[in-house]
mmCIF file of all heavy atoms in Angstrom:
data_model
loop_
_atom_site.group_PDB
_atom_site.id
_atom_site.type_symbol
_atom_site.label_atom_id
_atom_site.label_comp_id
_atom_site.label_asym_id
_atom_site.label_seq_id
_atom_site.Cartn_x
_atom_site.Cartn_y
_atom_site.Cartn_z
ATOM 1 N N LYS A 1 -4.263 -16.326 13.575
ATOM 2 C CA LYS A 1 -5.171 -15.215 13.865
ATOM 3 C C LYS A 1 -5.170 -14.216 12.707
ATOM 4 O O LYS A 1 -4.234 -14.156 11.902
ATOM 5 C CB LYS A 1 -4.757 -14.530 15.170
ATOM 6 C CG LYS A 1 -4.976 -15.404 16.399
ATOM 7 C CD LYS A 1 -4.664 -14.639 17.669
ATOM 8 C CE LYS A 1 -4.966 -15.481 18.904
ATOM 9 N NZ LYS A 1 -6.394 -15.792 19.047
ATOM 10 N N ASN A 2 -6.230 -13.410 12.651
ATOM 11 C CA ASN A 2 -6.397 -12.467 11.548
ATOM 12 C C ASN A 2 -5.284 -11.437 11.467
ATOM 13 O O ASN A 2 -5.034 -10.861 10.411
ATOM 14 C CB ASN A 2 -7.747 -11.752 11.668
ATOM 15 C CG ASN A 2 -8.915 -12.692 11.430
ATOM 16 O OD1 ASN A 2 -8.780 -13.680 10.711
ATOM 17 N ND2 ASN A 2 -10.065 -12.395 12.027
ATOM 18 N N GLN A 3 -4.594 -11.195 12.598
ATOM 19 C CA GLN A 3 -3.552 -10.169 12.618
ATOM 20 C C GLN A 3 -2.227 -10.649 12.025
ATOM 21 O O GLN A 3 -1.314 -9.850 11.815
ATOM 22 C CB GLN A 3 -3.293 -9.703 14.064
ATOM 23 C CG GLN A 3 -4.474 -9.038 14.743
ATOM 24 C CD GLN A 3 -5.489 -10.031 15.288
ATOM 25 O OE1 GLN A 3 -5.250 -11.236 15.259
ATOM 26 N NE2 GLN A 3 -6.616 -9.516 15.772
ATOM 27 N N GLN A 4 -2.125 -11.946 11.751
ATOM 28 C CA GLN A 4 -0.876 -12.463 11.199
ATOM 29 C C GLN A 4 -0.664 -11.923 9.779
ATOM 30 O O GLN A 4 -1.610 -11.827 8.992
ATOM 31 C CB GLN A 4 -0.898 -13.989 11.171
ATOM 32 C CG GLN A 4 -0.816 -14.631 12.542
ATOM 33 C CD GLN A 4 0.520 -14.368 13.216
ATOM 34 O OE1 GLN A 4 1.545 -14.254 12.562
ATOM 35 N NE2 GLN A 4 0.496 -14.268 14.534
ATOM 36 N N PRO A 5 0.577 -11.552 9.426
ATOM 37 C CA PRO A 5 0.850 -10.952 8.112
ATOM 38 C C PRO A 5 0.357 -11.792 6.935
ATOM 39 O O PRO A 5 -0.197 -11.253 5.973
ATOM 40 C CB PRO A 5 2.381 -10.830 8.100
ATOM 41 C CG PRO A 5 2.760 -10.725 9.540
ATOM 42 C CD PRO A 5 1.780 -11.575 10.284
ATOM 43 N N SER A 6 0.552 -13.113 6.996
ATOM 44 C CA SER A 6 0.128 -13.952 5.873
ATOM 45 C C SER A 6 -1.385 -13.981 5.733
ATOM 46 O O SER A 6 -1.910 -14.086 4.621
ATOM 47 C CB SER A 6 0.668 -15.372 6.035
ATOM 48 O OG SER A 6 0.161 -15.972 7.218
ATOM 49 N N VAL A 7 -2.099 -13.891 6.855
ATOM 50 C CA VAL A 7 -3.566 -13.879 6.812
ATOM 51 C C VAL A 7 -4.056 -12.559 6.222
ATOM 52 O O VAL A 7 -4.969 -12.535 5.378
ATOM 53 C CB VAL A 7 -4.153 -14.094 8.222
ATOM 54 C CG1 VAL A 7 -5.677 -14.015 8.184
ATOM 55 C CG2 VAL A 7 -3.708 -15.436 8.784
ATOM 56 N N GLU A 8 -3.464 -11.439 6.656
ATOM 57 C CA GLU A 8 -3.826 -10.135 6.100
ATOM 58 C C GLU A 8 -3.545 -10.107 4.595
ATOM 59 O O GLU A 8 -4.347 -9.577 3.807
ATOM 60 C CB GLU A 8 -3.042 -9.031 6.802
ATOM 61 C CG GLU A 8 -3.432 -8.832 8.266
ATOM 62 C CD GLU A 8 -2.619 -7.738 8.931
ATOM 63 O OE1 GLU A 8 -1.556 -7.369 8.378
ATOM 64 O OE2 GLU A 8 -3.034 -7.247 9.997
ATOM 65 N N ALA A 9 -2.398 -10.688 4.203
ATOM 66 C CA ALA A 9 -2.039 -10.721 2.781
ATOM 67 C C ALA A 9 -3.032 -11.554 1.985
ATOM 68 O O ALA A 9 -3.425 -11.184 0.871
ATOM 69 C CB ALA A 9 -0.626 -11.280 2.621
ATOM 70 N N GLN A 10 -3.457 -12.683 2.552
ATOM 71 C CA GLN A 10 -4.398 -13.550 1.857
ATOM 72 C C GLN A 10 -5.748 -12.865 1.671
ATOM 73 O O GLN A 10 -6.384 -12.981 0.618
ATOM 74 C CB GLN A 10 -4.573 -14.859 2.632
ATOM 75 C CG GLN A 10 -5.390 -15.912 1.922
ATOM 76 C CD GLN A 10 -4.770 -16.319 0.596
ATOM 77 O OE1 GLN A 10 -3.553 -16.460 0.495
ATOM 78 N NE2 GLN A 10 -5.605 -16.493 -0.423
ATOM 79 N N LYS A 11 -6.195 -12.140 2.695
ATOM 80 C CA LYS A 11 -7.467 -11.417 2.591
ATOM 81 C C LYS A 11 -7.392 -10.335 1.512
ATOM 82 O O LYS A 11 -8.341 -10.134 0.744
ATOM 83 C CB LYS A 11 -7.827 -10.799 3.946
ATOM 84 C CG LYS A 11 -8.275 -11.818 4.978
ATOM 85 C CD LYS A 11 -8.705 -11.131 6.263
ATOM 86 C CE LYS A 11 -9.242 -12.145 7.266
ATOM 87 N NZ LYS A 11 -9.659 -11.500 8.538
ATOM 88 N N LEU A 12 -6.247 -9.645 1.459
ATOM 89 C CA LEU A 12 -6.073 -8.624 0.430
ATOM 90 C C LEU A 12 -6.063 -9.262 -0.954
ATOM 91 O O LEU A 12 -6.662 -8.729 -1.909
ATOM 92 C CB LEU A 12 -4.768 -7.863 0.676
ATOM 93 C CG LEU A 12 -4.448 -6.731 -0.313
ATOM 94 C CD1 LEU A 12 -5.511 -5.641 -0.251
ATOM 95 C CD2 LEU A 12 -3.062 -6.150 -0.022
ATOM 96 N N ALA A 13 -5.420 -10.425 -1.065
ATOM 97 C CA ALA A 13 -5.366 -11.135 -2.347
ATOM 98 C C ALA A 13 -6.762 -11.548 -2.796
ATOM 99 O O ALA A 13 -7.103 -11.432 -3.981
ATOM 100 C CB ALA A 13 -4.461 -12.356 -2.226
ATOM 101 N N GLU A 14 -7.570 -12.004 -1.874
ATOM 102 C CA GLU A 14 -8.929 -12.426 -2.215
ATOM 103 C C GLU A 14 -9.782 -11.244 -2.661
ATOM 104 O O GLU A 14 -10.649 -11.386 -3.525
ATOM 105 C CB GLU A 14 -9.567 -13.122 -1.005
ATOM 106 C CG GLU A 14 -8.937 -14.465 -0.677
ATOM 107 C CD GLU A 14 -9.483 -15.054 0.609
ATOM 108 O OE1 GLU A 14 -10.376 -14.429 1.217
ATOM 109 O OE2 GLU A 14 -9.014 -16.141 0.999
ATOM 110 N N LYS A 15 -9.508 -10.094 -2.066
ATOM 111 C CA LYS A 15 -10.289 -8.904 -2.400
ATOM 112 C C LYS A 15 -9.860 -8.285 -3.731
ATOM 113 O O LYS A 15 -10.703 -7.913 -4.560
ATOM 114 C CB LYS A 15 -10.141 -7.870 -1.285
ATOM 115 C CG LYS A 15 -10.871 -6.554 -1.550
ATOM 116 C CD LYS A 15 -10.620 -5.562 -0.426
ATOM 117 C CE LYS A 15 -11.286 -4.211 -0.730
ATOM 118 N NZ LYS A 15 -10.989 -3.212 0.333
ATOM 119 N N GLU A 16 -8.558 -8.170 -3.945
ATOM 120 C CA GLU A 16 -8.045 -7.450 -5.106
ATOM 121 C C GLU A 16 -7.710 -8.346 -6.301
ATOM 122 O O GLU A 16 -7.655 -7.886 -7.433
ATOM 123 C CB GLU A 16 -6.791 -6.657 -4.705
ATOM 124 C CG GLU A 16 -7.060 -5.559 -3.692
ATOM 125 C CD GLU A 16 -7.859 -4.399 -4.295
ATOM 126 O OE1 GLU A 16 -7.877 -4.269 -5.546
ATOM 127 O OE2 GLU A 16 -8.459 -3.631 -3.527
ATOM 128 N N PHE A 17 -7.447 -9.611 -6.045
ATOM 129 C CA PHE A 17 -7.056 -10.524 -7.128
ATOM 130 C C PHE A 17 -7.912 -11.786 -7.055
ATOM 131 O O PHE A 17 -7.408 -12.890 -6.827
ATOM 132 C CB PHE A 17 -5.570 -10.861 -7.016
ATOM 133 C CG PHE A 17 -4.696 -9.645 -6.897
ATOM 134 C CD1 PHE A 17 -4.253 -9.216 -5.652
ATOM 135 C CD2 PHE A 17 -4.353 -8.908 -8.018
ATOM 136 C CE1 PHE A 17 -3.467 -8.080 -5.531
ATOM 137 C CE2 PHE A 17 -3.561 -7.767 -7.909
ATOM 138 C CZ PHE A 17 -3.120 -7.345 -6.658
ATOM 139 N N PRO A 18 -9.231 -11.633 -7.224
ATOM 140 C CA PRO A 18 -10.170 -12.742 -6.981
ATOM 141 C C PRO A 18 -10.023 -13.917 -7.927
ATOM 142 O O PRO A 18 -10.456 -15.017 -7.604
ATOM 143 C CB PRO A 18 -11.543 -12.075 -7.150
ATOM 144 C CG PRO A 18 -11.280 -10.890 -8.037
ATOM 145 C CD PRO A 18 -9.914 -10.410 -7.662
ATOM 146 N N SER A 19 -9.408 -13.732 -9.068
ATOM 147 C CA SER A 19 -9.315 -14.845 -10.021
ATOM 148 C C SER A 19 -8.483 -15.985 -9.470
ATOM 149 O O SER A 19 -8.621 -17.129 -9.897
ATOM 150 C CB SER A 19 -8.703 -14.368 -11.343
ATOM 151 O OG SER A 19 -7.388 -13.879 -11.127
ATOM 152 N N GLY A 20 -7.624 -15.688 -8.512
ATOM 153 C CA GLY A 20 -6.772 -16.743 -7.960
ATOM 154 C C GLY A 20 -7.096 -17.074 -6.530
ATOM 155 O O GLY A 20 -6.236 -17.560 -5.807
ATOM 156 N N THR A 21 -8.319 -16.790 -6.122
ATOM 157 C CA THR A 21 -8.644 -16.957 -4.707
ATOM 158 C C THR A 21 -9.259 -18.308 -4.386
ATOM 159 O O THR A 21 -9.568 -18.581 -3.242
ATOM 160 C CB THR A 21 -9.616 -15.848 -4.240
ATOM 161 O OG1 THR A 21 -10.793 -15.906 -5.052
ATOM 162 C CG2 THR A 21 -8.968 -14.489 -4.373
ATOM 163 N N GLY A 22 -9.473 -19.144 -5.393
ATOM 164 C CA GLY A 22 -9.970 -20.481 -5.112
ATOM 165 C C GLY A 22 -8.867 -21.362 -4.566
ATOM 166 O O GLY A 22 -7.682 -20.996 -4.546
ATOM 167 N N LYS A 23 -9.240 -22.559 -4.118
ATOM 168 C CA LYS A 23 -8.246 -23.516 -3.629
ATOM 169 C C LYS A 23 -7.779 -24.360 -4.809
ATOM 170 O O LYS A 23 -8.587 -25.038 -5.441
ATOM 171 C CB LYS A 23 -8.855 -24.412 -2.542
ATOM 172 C CG LYS A 23 -9.083 -23.692 -1.244
ATOM 173 C CD LYS A 23 -9.368 -24.655 -0.107
ATOM 174 C CE LYS A 23 -10.740 -25.279 -0.242
ATOM 175 N NZ LYS A 23 -11.115 -26.032 0.986
ATOM 176 N N PRO A 24 -6.485 -24.344 -5.118
ATOM 177 C CA PRO A 24 -6.012 -25.072 -6.294
ATOM 178 C C PRO A 24 -5.757 -26.551 -6.038
ATOM 179 O O PRO A 24 -5.234 -26.937 -4.995
ATOM 180 C CB PRO A 24 -4.702 -24.355 -6.647
ATOM 181 C CG PRO A 24 -4.219 -23.816 -5.343
ATOM 182 C CD PRO A 24 -5.433 -23.509 -4.518
ATOM 183 N N ALA A 25 -6.129 -27.345 -7.016
ATOM 184 C CA ALA A 25 -5.720 -28.748 -7.079
ATOM 185 C C ALA A 25 -4.846 -28.880 -8.310
ATOM 186 O O ALA A 25 -5.232 -28.433 -9.397
ATOM 187 C CB ALA A 25 -6.935 -29.660 -7.182
ATOM 188 N N LEU A 26 -3.674 -29.439 -8.154
ATOM 189 C CA LEU A 26 -2.746 -29.594 -9.264
ATOM 190 C C LEU A 26 -2.766 -31.046 -9.727
ATOM 191 O O LEU A 26 -2.253 -31.934 -9.040
ATOM 192 C CB LEU A 26 -1.336 -29.185 -8.845
ATOM 193 C CG LEU A 26 -1.177 -27.749 -8.323
ATOM 194 C CD1 LEU A 26 0.277 -27.474 -7.968
ATOM 195 C CD2 LEU A 26 -1.673 -26.739 -9.344
ATOM 196 N N LEU A 27 -3.388 -31.284 -10.877
ATOM 197 C CA LEU A 27 -3.413 -32.629 -11.443
ATOM 198 C C LEU A 27 -2.101 -32.838 -12.203
ATOM 199 O O LEU A 27 -1.854 -32.179 -13.218
ATOM 200 C CB LEU A 27 -4.604 -32.807 -12.379
ATOM 201 C CG LEU A 27 -5.931 -33.235 -11.719
ATOM 202 C CD1 LEU A 27 -6.435 -32.170 -10.771
ATOM 203 C CD2 LEU A 27 -6.973 -33.562 -12.770
ATOM 204 N N THR A 28 -1.273 -33.707 -11.653
ATOM 205 C CA THR A 28 0.058 -33.913 -12.212
ATOM 206 C C THR A 28 0.055 -35.178 -13.066
ATOM 207 O O THR A 28 -0.006 -36.297 -12.557
ATOM 208 C CB THR A 28 1.093 -34.036 -11.075
ATOM 209 O OG1 THR A 28 0.953 -32.924 -10.192
ATOM 210 C CG2 THR A 28 2.500 -34.073 -11.632
ATOM 211 N N TRP A 29 0.093 -34.976 -14.395
ATOM 212 C CA TRP A 29 0.080 -36.090 -15.348
ATOM 213 C C TRP A 29 1.518 -36.540 -15.594
ATOM 214 O O TRP A 29 2.429 -35.722 -15.725
ATOM 215 C CB TRP A 29 -0.558 -35.661 -16.669
ATOM 216 C CG TRP A 29 -1.982 -35.211 -16.525
ATOM 217 C CD1 TRP A 29 -2.428 -33.962 -16.224
ATOM 218 C CD2 TRP A 29 -3.145 -36.021 -16.667
ATOM 219 N NE1 TRP A 29 -3.795 -33.930 -16.160
ATOM 220 C CE2 TRP A 29 -4.275 -35.190 -16.431
ATOM 221 C CE3 TRP A 29 -3.362 -37.368 -16.967
ATOM 222 C CZ2 TRP A 29 -5.573 -35.649 -16.490
ATOM 223 C CZ3 TRP A 29 -4.660 -37.835 -17.029
ATOM 224 C CH2 TRP A 29 -5.759 -36.987 -16.793
#
C-alpha cells in the first residue's frame, strides 16, 4: 500500500532523483 515506508521512499526518489527512476536491467558480461 502507498502508506508503506518503502513505497513513500520510492515515490520521493522518483520525484527528487528522476535520473534513477527507471527499471534497471543489469547485463552481466
Side-chain angles (χ1 to χ4, degrees):
K1 292 185 176 295
N2 292 332
Q3 297 80 6
Q4 290 294 328
S6 62
V7 177
E8 292 179 343
Q10 187 60 41
K11 287 184 176 180
L12 181 62
E14 291 174 2
K15 178 183 177 183
E16 295 290 340
F17 309 98
S19 61
T21 58
K23 288 194 288 190
L26 302 181
L27 274 64
T28 308
W29 299 87

